[in-house]
Amino acid sequence: MEILWVLMALVMFGFVLLPILRRRRGMIEQVPADHPDAADPADYGFVRTEELDVRMPGPDQDLLDVLDVVQRTQDYRAAQQLLAGTETEGELRWQRVQAFAGAAALELQQRPGGVGEVPGGQWLRVWRTEAPKDPGGAAVHAEFLVQQAWRTSTRGTDDFRIIMEEAKDACGQAALLAPGDPVPHIVELSVARGLDYSRTEFDELWLKILDRAPAHMGAHLAALHYWCEKWHGSRETAQAFAEAAAARAPRGSLLAAMPLFAVFEHLPEVNLVSGFYRSEVVSKAIHGALFAVHAARPDDPMLAHVRHLLVFFLVRAERWAEAMNQLVHVDGHVGALPWTLSPDPAESFAVYRALAVAGYEANGGNPATLPH
């Protein structure tokens, strides 16, 4: 009996120790920052951690300039003009709607308002009041409500459902103001997840988006969440959705990278498989994403999203040179998966960047050998 207890203790010890050992084998040994042999990301012209922009995945100077004006003056008209001049069916409009809504939500969080105090994000409320038929303002307001529900309430509570129902109505109003615009329907994809749409209801919503923008990468990423195991689908359903999108992707589309996002959404919390990130499933998804990146337009607004996720997977797979090739394109902005899931996106990104640099140099690389 005593031998049995000893064996059980050894097995339990192994379960605790094995993941730690394997995680250590999966990482490179870090040299202290002040050591003369330490790899320095600054040698490659990378941005200092404290200067990384956490607001967006990549540069959009027009958006930054307008956000600065709107937040400094609390006048919405610059935002209204920017959205009015942004292509309706493109990815950029969706990203800018998200950015304006996020800025208003953050302002409100920082300045909730009180007696005699104007709450933050007042410019959005004025926008909706003064221009109730403006489709841009309606879309931003709908996305603002969605973000408020997820930020300030707990799913399943009355408060969450009330805000989400309001967001659903706002999506409907925005869609009526811009019949050909997919953005209000894309916003509703998050509502569908929060309000537990049936699969029939979700399919009806998804068909509206496909009719307007069948290759919209942002829409596919939003829909993928619904089909994930943690929401209303399964690992198999999400993977099938992603692979179907990749299979029908038009030439130059980033939809070929969808399987990598599906893999990311279903990563095991504890990885007990040695070489998981070099497995056939992961390697195939990485290959598809690399193909998509090489074939995409350099100015595709979703390109940075794919590059950021590639950095994560390539570092985990110890494919250092390929990770560095992605880093030179996205460094400076970290407002994308997987970094935004961290409480400190900039620090999370900086850790992976440092690992990529160290791994690259450990295999003979240096700033002179890195193509730009």
Side-chain angles (χ1 to χ4, degrees):
M1 190 66 177
E2 291 180 1
I3 294 177
L4 181 59
W5 281 109
V6 170
L7 290 174
M8 290 178 64
L10 286 173
V11 170
M12 294 302 295
F13 179 73
F15 273 112
V16 173
L17 185 60
L18 185 60
I20 296 173
L21 292 175
R22 286 186 169 165
R23 281 198 296 269
R24 287 176 63 86
R25 281 203 296 270
M27 305 299 284
I28 60 174
E29 185 176 347
Q30 294 259 43
V31 179
D34 57 353
H35 191 282
D37 293 331
D40 187 357
D43 292 341
Y44 296 83
F46 291 148
V47 175
R48 293 166 61 90
T49 303
E50 59 270 23
E51 296 174 356
L52 291 168
D53 192 328
V54 302
R55 295 171 295 180
M56 297 181 299
D60 183 349
Q61 195 57 48
D62 289 340
L63 174 61
L64 289 178
D65 291 343
V66 167
L67 270 174
D68 178 65
V69 170
V70 169
Q71 294 185 311
R72 180 164 37 84
T73 65
Q74 291 295 297
D75 188 333
Y76 67 87
R77 284 175 292 183
Q80 182 183 35
Q81 292 171 3
L82 182 65
L83 284 182
T86 304
E87 182 187 7
T88 302
E89 295 82 8
E91 306 279 356
L92 197 58
R93 182 178 178 84
W94 166 232
Q95 291 194 20
R96 287 174 171 177
V97 166
Q98 286 183 300
F100 286 129
L106 183 59
E107 281 186 41
L108 182 59
Q109 180 182 342
Q110 294 172 340
R111 301 193 310 276
V115 179
E117 181 183 3
V118 177
Q122 182 67 16
W123 53 269
L124 178 55
R125 284 181 283 276
V126 175
W127 187 355
R128 292 296 295 131
T129 301
E130 294 186 353
K133 294 186 178 182
D134 177 54
V140 173
H141 180 239
E143 173 65 17
F144 168 81
L145 290 170
V146 167
Q147 293 194 24
Q148 282 294 97
W150 291 110
R151 285 173 186 242
T152 65
S153 305
T154 302
R155 183 170 175 268
T157 64
D158 289 342
D159 285 346
F160 180 87
R161 178 164 288 278
I162 288 170
I163 300 174
M164 275 297 186
E165 290 287 359
E166 187 179 355
K168 182 179 180 180
D169 291 341
C171 289
Q173 294 170 20
L176 288 174
L177 291 171
D181 187 353
V183 170
H185 303 294
I186 299 173
V187 175
E188 193 179 346
L189 289 173
S190 187
V191 176
R193 184 159 47 96
L195 292 182
D196 302 327
Y197 277 26
S198 68
R199 294 200 173 189
T200 300
E201 292 173 310
F202 186 88
D203 286 341
E204 290 175 357
L205 173 60
W206 184 237
L207 285 175
K208 293 178 182 177
I209 295 170
L210 292 181
D211 285 343
R212 292 160 176 79
H216 199 290
M217 178 74 171
H220 279 79
L221 291 177
L224 178 64
H225 289 299
Y226 179 90
W227 295 117
C228 284
E229 189 174 58
K230 60 188 174 185
W231 291 106
H232 304 292
S234 65
R235 181 191 303 268
E236 293 74 23
T237 306
Q239 195 67 38
F241 173 81
E243 290 176 356
R248 66 170 182 270
R251 191 176 193 81
S253 168
L254 286 165
L255 287 177
M258 283 298 297
L260 189 64
F261 285 88
V263 170
F264 177 77
E265 290 294 337
H266 295 90
L267 286 177
E269 292 186 13
V270 178
N271 177 28
L272 296 175
V273 180
S274 178
F276 170 79
Y277 288 92
R278 294 187 294 276
S279 66
E280 182 180 355
V281 171
V282 177
S283 296
K284 182 180 177 182
I286 290 175
H287 177 76
L290 287 170
F291 171 81
V293 164
H294 291 316
R297 299 190 331 268
D299 62 345
D300 191 314
M302 295 301 294
L303 186 55
H305 286 274
V306 181
R307 289 191 187 278
H308 277 290
L309 197 63
L310 273 170
V311 169
F312 171 85
F313 276 98
L314 291 170
V315 167
R316 289 293 188 97
E318 299 181 10
R319 295 166 63 168
W320 312 116
E322 292 171 288
M324 292 293 286
N325 287 336
Q326 300 305 318
L327 279 168
V328 297
H329 291 286
V330 298
D331 188 73
H333 298 82
V334 296
L337 287 175
W339 327 121
T340 49
L341 297 178
S342 167
D344 189 342
E347 181 62 29
S348 179
F349 172 82
V351 167
Y352 275 76
R353 184 177 64 183
L355 289 169
V357 169
Y360 183 63
E361 294 190 354
N363 287 273
N366 61 65
T369 61
L370 183 65
H372 286 76

